[in-house]
Amino acid sequence: MTRVFRTAAVAATTAALCLAAAACGPDGEKSEKDGGKAAGATADPSGTASANASDPAASDSAAPAPTSTPTSSGEVLDKAGLAKVALTTGEVAAYEVTPMQGGEESGTERSENKDCEPLVAVINGAPQPTPAATVFRTVMDKSEEGKDDQTVVTEILTSHPKDAAQQLMRGVRDAVRACAGGFRTSSEDGPSTYTEVKQLPLPPAGQESIAYQVTGSIEGDKVPLVFQLVRTGSTVVTFYVADFLTAKTPQLPAELVAAQAAKLP
């Protein structure tokens, strides 16, 4: 299986998305299966996020200010600790949660623009600064099983010493602003082009959060990738969804974000 471009869940996530939607191909090369498009998440049919429980975003205006949760312990979790606070099957109705196969491998994309490096680190599945521990999960809506646009969400849980979690969030927030016009990357698999970055007004969670869309390009076709990063104490959760099928903004289920945020120490 070849690569479209590295997504937030790295090589293993790309494989998971391709298995869910049956298509993958590198920049400039389409899959033989269906012409090079695949869906990793439910896409909004209007082309914009709808204001409802699964996708409260209704415009491209700035997201609400981060909320604060003073009861956070700030504990720096090890891998076992992250696994304990990760979502599990049954905690959110209809969603199955599994460890991501091959999730230890990070992507190799490198930004041609230094200001965009925090975004590329997230795309590689390796948010910076380097975490003390990382756990990957794949979350799928089993009620949509068999559909081309089945909702597939990737979670990356990372823990960070001292103030590195806040530094991660600050770096991503600055990069979203600095790289609105897009950026290019290079890797061992070739170049990738991202044509736009925009902040999304998804509901805040944890002590602070930011949601944004990065629009990729495959032979001129737009491929929207939606991310939301949520921090509580020293733990950051990165949520990721993509739409390789319709080129419309995919929905990140708000109930998943809220349930995961509630489990963070």
Short mmCIF file of all heavy atoms in Angstrom, two decimals, residues 106-164:
data_model
loop_
_atom_site.label_atom_id
_atom_site.label_comp_id
_atom_site.label_asym_id
_atom_site.label_seq_id
_atom_site.Cartn_x
_atom_site.Cartn_y
_atom_site.Cartn_z
N SER A 106 6.58 7.00 13.34
CA SER A 106 6.21 8.38 13.06
C SER A 106 6.48 8.70 11.60
O SER A 106 7.27 8.04 10.93
CB SER A 106 6.98 9.34 13.96
OG SER A 106 8.36 9.22 13.76
N GLY A 107 5.80 9.74 11.11
CA GLY A 107 5.99 10.17 9.73
C GLY A 107 7.32 10.86 9.54
O GLY A 107 8.04 11.18 10.50
N THR A 108 7.65 11.12 8.30
CA THR A 108 8.97 11.69 7.97
C THR A 108 8.87 13.03 7.26
O THR A 108 9.86 13.52 6.73
CB THR A 108 9.76 10.71 7.07
OG1 THR A 108 9.04 10.52 5.84
CG2 THR A 108 9.96 9.37 7.77
N GLU A 109 7.69 13.65 7.24
CA GLU A 109 7.55 14.93 6.55
C GLU A 109 8.34 16.03 7.26
O GLU A 109 8.38 16.08 8.50
CB GLU A 109 6.08 15.33 6.44
CG GLU A 109 5.29 14.44 5.51
CD GLU A 109 3.99 15.08 5.08
OE1 GLU A 109 4.00 16.24 4.65
OE2 GLU A 109 2.96 14.40 5.19
N ARG A 110 8.92 16.90 6.47
CA ARG A 110 9.65 18.05 7.00
C ARG A 110 9.14 19.30 6.30
O ARG A 110 9.06 19.35 5.07
CB ARG A 110 11.16 17.90 6.76
CG ARG A 110 11.76 16.70 7.52
CD ARG A 110 11.71 16.90 9.01
NE ARG A 110 12.23 15.74 9.73
CZ ARG A 110 11.49 14.75 10.21
NH1 ARG A 110 10.17 14.79 10.04
NH2 ARG A 110 12.03 13.75 10.86
N SER A 111 8.82 20.31 7.07
CA SER A 111 8.25 21.53 6.52
C SER A 111 9.32 22.37 5.83
O SER A 111 10.46 22.49 6.31
CB SER A 111 7.60 22.35 7.62
OG SER A 111 7.11 23.58 7.10
N GLU A 112 8.95 22.95 4.69
CA GLU A 112 9.84 23.89 4.02
C GLU A 112 9.79 25.27 4.67
O GLU A 112 10.61 26.12 4.38
CB GLU A 112 9.47 23.98 2.54
CG GLU A 112 9.70 22.67 1.78
CD GLU A 112 9.32 22.77 0.32
OE1 GLU A 112 8.89 23.86 -0.11
OE2 GLU A 112 9.46 21.77 -0.41
N ASN A 113 8.80 25.48 5.54
CA ASN A 113 8.63 26.75 6.25
C ASN A 113 8.74 26.47 7.74
O ASN A 113 7.94 25.72 8.31
CB ASN A 113 7.26 27.35 5.91
CG ASN A 113 7.03 28.70 6.58
OD1 ASN A 113 7.71 29.06 7.55
ND2 ASN A 113 6.05 29.44 6.08
N LYS A 114 9.73 27.05 8.39
CA LYS A 114 9.98 26.77 9.80
C LYS A 114 8.76 27.09 10.66
O LYS A 114 8.49 26.40 11.66
CB LYS A 114 11.19 27.57 10.29
CG LYS A 114 11.59 27.26 11.72
CD LYS A 114 12.85 28.02 12.12
CE LYS A 114 13.23 27.68 13.56
NZ LYS A 114 14.47 28.40 13.97
N ASP A 115 8.01 28.13 10.30
CA ASP A 115 6.85 28.52 11.10
C ASP A 115 5.78 27.44 11.13
O ASP A 115 4.95 27.42 12.04
CB ASP A 115 6.24 29.80 10.54
CG ASP A 115 7.12 31.03 10.75
OD1 ASP A 115 8.01 30.96 11.64
OD2 ASP A 115 6.93 32.02 10.04
N CYS A 116 5.79 26.56 10.14
CA CYS A 116 4.76 25.53 10.02
C CYS A 116 5.18 24.20 10.63
O CYS A 116 4.41 23.22 10.58
CB CYS A 116 4.38 25.33 8.56
SG CYS A 116 3.86 26.85 7.71
N GLU A 117 6.38 24.13 11.20
CA GLU A 117 6.88 22.88 11.74
C GLU A 117 5.98 22.25 12.80
O GLU A 117 5.82 21.02 12.83
CB GLU A 117 8.30 23.08 12.29
CG GLU A 117 9.35 23.25 11.20
CD GLU A 117 10.74 23.51 11.75
OE1 GLU A 117 10.86 23.63 12.99
OE2 GLU A 117 11.69 23.59 10.96
N PRO A 118 5.34 23.03 13.70
CA PRO A 118 4.45 22.40 14.68
C PRO A 118 3.27 21.66 14.02
O PRO A 118 2.86 20.60 14.51
CB PRO A 118 3.95 23.58 15.52
CG PRO A 118 5.05 24.59 15.42
CD PRO A 118 5.55 24.47 14.01
N LEU A 119 2.75 22.18 12.91
CA LEU A 119 1.67 21.51 12.22
C LEU A 119 2.14 20.21 11.58
O LEU A 119 1.44 19.19 11.61
CB LEU A 119 1.07 22.42 11.14
CG LEU A 119 0.52 23.77 11.61
CD1 LEU A 119 -0.03 24.55 10.42
CD2 LEU A 119 -0.54 23.59 12.68
N VAL A 120 3.33 20.25 11.01
CA VAL A 120 3.88 19.06 10.36
C VAL A 120 4.21 17.99 11.40
O VAL A 120 4.02 16.79 11.15
CB VAL A 120 5.12 19.42 9.53
CG1 VAL A 120 5.73 18.18 8.89
CG2 VAL A 120 4.74 20.43 8.45
N ALA A 121 4.66 18.40 12.58
CA ALA A 121 4.92 17.43 13.65
C ALA A 121 3.65 16.69 14.03
O ALA A 121 3.65 15.47 14.24
CB ALA A 121 5.50 18.14 14.87
N VAL A 122 2.53 17.40 14.09
CA VAL A 122 1.24 16.76 14.38
C VAL A 122 0.85 15.82 13.25
O VAL A 122 0.37 14.70 13.47
CB VAL A 122 0.16 17.82 14.63
CG1 VAL A 122 -1.22 17.16 14.76
CG2 VAL A 122 0.47 18.61 15.90
N ILE A 123 1.02 16.28 12.01
CA ILE A 123 0.72 15.43 10.85
C ILE A 123 1.55 14.15 10.90
O ILE A 123 1.06 13.06 10.56
CB ILE A 123 0.97 16.20 9.54
CG1 ILE A 123 -0.09 17.29 9.36
CG2 ILE A 123 0.98 15.26 8.33
CD1 ILE A 123 0.19 18.25 8.22
N ASN A 124 2.79 14.25 11.36
CA ASN A 124 3.66 13.08 11.47
C ASN A 124 3.27 12.15 12.61
O ASN A 124 3.81 11.05 12.73
CB ASN A 124 5.11 13.53 11.68
CG ASN A 124 5.77 13.97 10.40
OD1 ASN A 124 5.42 13.53 9.32
ND2 ASN A 124 6.76 14.85 10.53
N GLY A 125 2.33 12.58 13.46
CA GLY A 125 1.97 11.78 14.62
C GLY A 125 2.97 11.89 15.74
O GLY A 125 3.03 11.04 16.62
N ALA A 126 3.78 12.94 15.73
CA ALA A 126 4.83 13.13 16.73
C ALA A 126 4.85 14.59 17.18
O ALA A 126 5.78 15.33 16.86
CB ALA A 126 6.18 12.73 16.16
N PRO A 127 3.81 15.03 17.92
CA PRO A 127 3.76 16.44 18.35
C PRO A 127 5.02 16.84 19.11
O PRO A 127 5.59 16.04 19.84
CB PRO A 127 2.53 16.48 19.28
CG PRO A 127 1.70 15.30 18.86
CD PRO A 127 2.67 14.25 18.42
N GLN A 128 5.43 18.09 18.90
CA GLN A 128 6.64 18.61 19.54
C GLN A 128 6.29 19.70 20.55
O GLN A 128 5.35 20.44 20.34
CB GLN A 128 7.58 19.17 18.47
CG GLN A 128 8.12 18.11 17.53
CD GLN A 128 8.98 17.09 18.22
OE1 GLN A 128 9.82 17.44 19.07
NE2 GLN A 128 8.78 15.81 17.90
N PRO A 129 7.03 19.81 21.66
CA PRO A 129 8.23 19.09 22.05
C PRO A 129 7.98 17.58 22.22
O PRO A 129 6.87 17.15 22.46
CB PRO A 129 8.62 19.73 23.39
CG PRO A 129 7.93 21.04 23.41
CD PRO A 129 6.67 20.84 22.65
N THR A 130 9.07 16.81 22.12
CA THR A 130 8.98 15.37 22.20
C THR A 130 8.31 14.94 23.50
O THR A 130 8.73 15.36 24.59
CB THR A 130 10.38 14.74 22.12
OG1 THR A 130 11.00 15.14 20.90
CG2 THR A 130 10.30 13.22 22.17
N PRO A 131 7.26 14.13 23.44
CA PRO A 131 6.55 13.73 24.65
C PRO A 131 7.31 12.71 25.48
O PRO A 131 8.20 12.01 24.98
CB PRO A 131 5.25 13.12 24.09
CG PRO A 131 5.60 12.67 22.72
CD PRO A 131 6.62 13.64 22.20
N ALA A 132 6.94 12.61 26.74
CA ALA A 132 7.52 11.59 27.62
C ALA A 132 6.95 10.21 27.30
O ALA A 132 7.62 9.20 27.47
CB ALA A 132 7.24 11.94 29.08
N ALA A 133 5.70 10.18 26.82
CA ALA A 133 5.05 8.93 26.46
C ALA A 133 3.96 9.22 25.45
O ALA A 133 3.41 10.33 25.41
CB ALA A 133 4.48 8.23 27.68
N THR A 134 3.63 8.23 24.62
CA THR A 134 2.61 8.39 23.59
C THR A 134 1.79 7.11 23.47
O THR A 134 2.33 6.01 23.55
CB THR A 134 3.26 8.68 22.22
OG1 THR A 134 4.12 9.81 22.32
CG2 THR A 134 2.20 8.95 21.16
N VAL A 135 0.48 7.28 23.29
CA VAL A 135 -0.43 6.16 23.05
C VAL A 135 -1.34 6.52 21.88
O VAL A 135 -1.85 7.65 21.81
CB VAL A 135 -1.28 5.85 24.31
CG1 VAL A 135 -2.47 4.96 23.97
CG2 VAL A 135 -0.42 5.17 25.37
N PHE A 136 -1.54 5.58 20.95
CA PHE A 136 -2.38 5.80 19.78
C PHE A 136 -3.65 4.95 19.88
O PHE A 136 -3.60 3.78 20.28
CB PHE A 136 -1.65 5.40 18.49
CG PHE A 136 -0.43 6.22 18.19
CD1 PHE A 136 0.81 5.87 18.72
CD2 PHE A 136 -0.51 7.32 17.36
CE1 PHE A 136 1.94 6.61 18.43
CE2 PHE A 136 0.62 8.07 17.06
CZ PHE A 136 1.84 7.72 17.60
N ARG A 137 -4.77 5.52 19.48
CA ARG A 137 -6.03 4.80 19.44
C ARG A 137 -6.76 5.12 18.14
O ARG A 137 -6.68 6.24 17.62
CB ARG A 137 -6.93 5.17 20.62
CG ARG A 137 -6.42 4.72 21.98
CD ARG A 137 -6.47 3.22 22.12
NE ARG A 137 -6.04 2.76 23.44
CZ ARG A 137 -4.82 2.37 23.73
NH1 ARG A 137 -3.87 2.42 22.80
NH2 ARG A 137 -4.51 1.93 24.94
N THR A 138 -7.49 4.13 17.63
CA THR A 138 -8.41 4.33 16.50
C THR A 138 -9.82 4.16 17.01
O THR A 138 -10.13 3.17 17.69
CB THR A 138 -8.13 3.31 15.38
OG1 THR A 138 -6.79 3.48 14.92
CG2 THR A 138 -9.08 3.52 14.21
N VAL A 139 -10.70 5.11 16.69
CA VAL A 139 -12.08 5.09 17.14
C VAL A 139 -12.99 5.06 15.91
O VAL A 139 -12.91 5.95 15.06
CB VAL A 139 -12.41 6.32 18.02
CG1 VAL A 139 -13.80 6.20 18.62
CG2 VAL A 139 -11.37 6.50 19.12
N MET A 140 -13.86 4.06 15.83
CA MET A 140 -14.72 3.89 14.66
C MET A 140 -16.17 3.78 15.08
O MET A 140 -16.49 3.13 16.08
CB MET A 140 -14.30 2.66 13.86
CG MET A 140 -12.86 2.68 13.39
SD MET A 140 -12.37 1.19 12.47
CE MET A 140 -13.33 1.40 10.97
N ASP A 141 -17.05 4.42 14.32
CA ASP A 141 -18.48 4.34 14.56
C ASP A 141 -19.00 3.03 13.96
O ASP A 141 -19.15 2.91 12.75
CB ASP A 141 -19.19 5.54 13.93
CG ASP A 141 -20.66 5.61 14.29
OD1 ASP A 141 -21.22 4.59 14.74
OD2 ASP A 141 -21.27 6.68 14.10
N LYS A 142 -19.26 2.06 14.82
CA LYS A 142 -19.68 0.75 14.33
C LYS A 142 -21.07 0.77 13.70
O LYS A 142 -21.41 -0.11 12.91
CB LYS A 142 -19.65 -0.26 15.48
CG LYS A 142 -18.27 -0.46 16.08
CD LYS A 142 -17.29 -1.00 15.05
CE LYS A 142 -17.56 -2.45 14.69
NZ LYS A 142 -16.56 -3.00 13.76
N SER A 143 -21.89 1.78 14.05
CA SER A 143 -23.22 1.88 13.44
C SER A 143 -23.13 2.23 11.97
O SER A 143 -24.10 2.06 11.22
CB SER A 143 -24.07 2.91 14.17
OG SER A 143 -23.59 4.24 13.94
N GLU A 144 -21.97 2.74 11.53
CA GLU A 144 -21.77 3.11 10.13
C GLU A 144 -20.93 2.08 9.37
O GLU A 144 -20.51 2.33 8.25
CB GLU A 144 -21.08 4.48 10.04
CG GLU A 144 -21.89 5.61 10.66
CD GLU A 144 -21.12 6.92 10.68
OE1 GLU A 144 -19.89 6.91 10.45
OE2 GLU A 144 -21.74 7.96 10.95
N GLU A 145 -20.69 0.94 9.98
CA GLU A 145 -19.83 -0.07 9.38
C GLU A 145 -20.34 -0.47 8.00
O GLU A 145 -21.53 -0.70 7.80
CB GLU A 145 -19.74 -1.31 10.26
CG GLU A 145 -18.67 -2.29 9.84
CD GLU A 145 -18.40 -3.33 10.89
OE1 GLU A 145 -19.14 -3.38 11.89
OE2 GLU A 145 -17.43 -4.09 10.73
N GLY A 146 -19.44 -0.51 7.03
CA GLY A 146 -19.80 -0.85 5.66
C GLY A 146 -20.04 0.35 4.78
O GLY A 146 -20.07 0.23 3.55
N LYS A 147 -20.19 1.54 5.39
CA LYS A 147 -20.41 2.76 4.61
C LYS A 147 -19.07 3.32 4.13
O LYS A 147 -18.06 3.22 4.81
CB LYS A 147 -21.13 3.82 5.45
CG LYS A 147 -22.55 3.43 5.86
CD LYS A 147 -23.19 4.57 6.64
CE LYS A 147 -24.62 4.23 7.05
NZ LYS A 147 -25.25 5.35 7.80
N ASP A 148 -19.09 3.94 2.95
CA ASP A 148 -17.87 4.54 2.42
C ASP A 148 -17.37 5.69 3.29
O ASP A 148 -16.18 5.96 3.35
CB ASP A 148 -18.10 5.06 0.99
CG ASP A 148 -18.26 3.94 -0.02
OD1 ASP A 148 -17.83 2.81 0.28
OD2 ASP A 148 -18.83 4.20 -1.10
N ASP A 149 -18.32 6.36 3.96
CA ASP A 149 -17.93 7.52 4.77
C ASP A 149 -18.01 7.22 6.27
O ASP A 149 -18.32 8.08 7.08
CB ASP A 149 -18.81 8.73 4.43
CG ASP A 149 -20.30 8.48 4.68
OD1 ASP A 149 -20.67 7.32 4.97
OD2 ASP A 149 -21.08 9.44 4.58
N GLN A 150 -17.71 5.98 6.64
CA GLN A 150 -17.71 5.61 8.05
C GLN A 150 -16.79 6.53 8.84
O GLN A 150 -15.68 6.84 8.42
CB GLN A 150 -17.25 4.16 8.22
CG GLN A 150 -17.26 3.69 9.67
CD GLN A 150 -16.78 2.26 9.82
OE1 GLN A 150 -16.24 1.69 8.88
NE2 GLN A 150 -17.00 1.66 10.98
N THR A 151 -17.27 6.97 10.00
CA THR A 151 -16.48 7.85 10.85
C THR A 151 -15.30 7.09 11.46
O THR A 151 -15.49 6.10 12.16
CB THR A 151 -17.34 8.45 11.97
OG1 THR A 151 -18.40 9.21 11.39
CG2 THR A 151 -16.52 9.36 12.88
N VAL A 152 -14.11 7.57 11.17
CA VAL A 152 -12.88 6.99 11.72
C VAL A 152 -12.10 8.14 12.36
O VAL A 152 -11.70 9.08 11.68
CB VAL A 152 -12.02 6.31 10.65
CG1 VAL A 152 -10.75 5.74 11.27
CG2 VAL A 152 -12.80 5.22 9.92
N VAL A 153 -11.90 8.08 13.66
CA VAL A 153 -11.19 9.13 14.39
C VAL A 153 -9.91 8.54 14.95
O VAL A 153 -9.91 7.45 15.52
CB VAL A 153 -12.04 9.70 15.54
CG1 VAL A 153 -11.28 10.78 16.31
CG2 VAL A 153 -13.36 10.26 15.00
N THR A 154 -8.82 9.26 14.79
CA THR A 154 -7.55 8.88 15.40
C THR A 154 -7.31 9.72 16.65
O THR A 154 -7.54 10.94 16.63
CB THR A 154 -6.39 9.08 14.42
OG1 THR A 154 -6.56 8.17 13.34
CG2 THR A 154 -5.05 8.81 15.09
N GLU A 155 -6.90 9.08 17.72
CA GLU A 155 -6.48 9.78 18.93
C GLU A 155 -5.00 9.53 19.18
O GLU A 155 -4.53 8.39 19.07
CB GLU A 155 -7.24 9.25 20.16
CG GLU A 155 -8.63 9.77 20.36
CD GLU A 155 -9.14 9.38 21.73
OE1 GLU A 155 -8.33 9.28 22.68
OE2 GLU A 155 -10.35 9.19 21.85
N ILE A 156 -4.29 10.59 19.50
CA ILE A 156 -2.90 10.47 19.94
C ILE A 156 -2.81 11.12 21.32
O ILE A 156 -3.04 12.33 21.46
CB ILE A 156 -1.93 11.17 18.98
CG1 ILE A 156 -2.14 10.70 17.55
CG2 ILE A 156 -0.48 10.91 19.41
CD1 ILE A 156 -1.31 11.45 16.53
N LEU A 157 -2.56 10.33 22.34
CA LEU A 157 -2.41 10.85 23.70
C LEU A 157 -0.93 10.97 24.01
O LEU A 157 -0.17 10.01 23.86
CB LEU A 157 -3.07 9.92 24.72
CG LEU A 157 -4.60 9.81 24.66
CD1 LEU A 157 -5.02 8.71 23.71
CD2 LEU A 157 -5.18 9.56 26.05
N THR A 158 -0.50 12.15 24.44
CA THR A 158 0.89 12.39 24.78
C THR A 158 1.00 13.06 26.15
O THR A 158 0.14 13.85 26.54
CB THR A 158 1.59 13.28 23.73
OG1 THR A 158 0.83 14.50 23.56
CG2 THR A 158 1.67 12.57 22.39
N SER A 159 2.06 12.73 26.88
CA SER A 159 2.33 13.38 28.16
C SER A 159 3.65 14.14 28.06
O SER A 159 4.56 13.73 27.33
CB SER A 159 2.40 12.35 29.29
OG SER A 159 3.42 11.40 29.05
N HIS A 160 3.74 15.24 28.81
CA HIS A 160 4.88 16.15 28.64
C HIS A 160 5.36 16.68 29.99
O HIS A 160 4.55 17.10 30.82
CB HIS A 160 4.46 17.33 27.76
CG HIS A 160 3.92 16.91 26.43
ND1 HIS A 160 4.70 16.84 25.30
CD2 HIS A 160 2.67 16.52 26.05
CE1 HIS A 160 3.96 16.43 24.28
NE2 HIS A 160 2.73 16.23 24.71
N PRO A 161 6.68 16.71 30.22
CA PRO A 161 7.21 17.22 31.47
C PRO A 161 7.19 18.74 31.52
O PRO A 161 7.13 19.41 30.49
CB PRO A 161 8.66 16.70 31.46
CG PRO A 161 8.99 16.57 30.00
CD PRO A 161 7.72 16.17 29.31
N LYS A 162 7.20 19.25 32.74
CA LYS A 162 7.27 20.70 33.00
C LYS A 162 6.19 21.43 32.21
O LYS A 162 5.02 21.08 32.29
CB LYS A 162 8.67 21.22 32.69
CG LYS A 162 9.74 20.58 33.58
CD LYS A 162 11.12 21.14 33.31
CE LYS A 162 12.16 20.50 34.23
NZ LYS A 162 13.53 21.00 33.97
N ASP A 163 6.58 22.46 31.44
CA ASP A 163 5.59 23.25 30.71
C ASP A 163 5.54 22.89 29.24
O ASP A 163 5.03 23.66 28.42
CB ASP A 163 5.88 24.74 30.87
CG ASP A 163 7.23 25.14 30.26
OD1 ASP A 163 8.02 24.23 29.91
OD2 ASP A 163 7.48 26.35 30.13
N ALA A 164 6.03 21.70 28.87
CA ALA A 164 6.11 21.33 27.45
C ALA A 164 4.72 21.15 26.82
O ALA A 164 4.56 21.40 25.62
CB ALA A 164 6.93 20.05 27.28
#
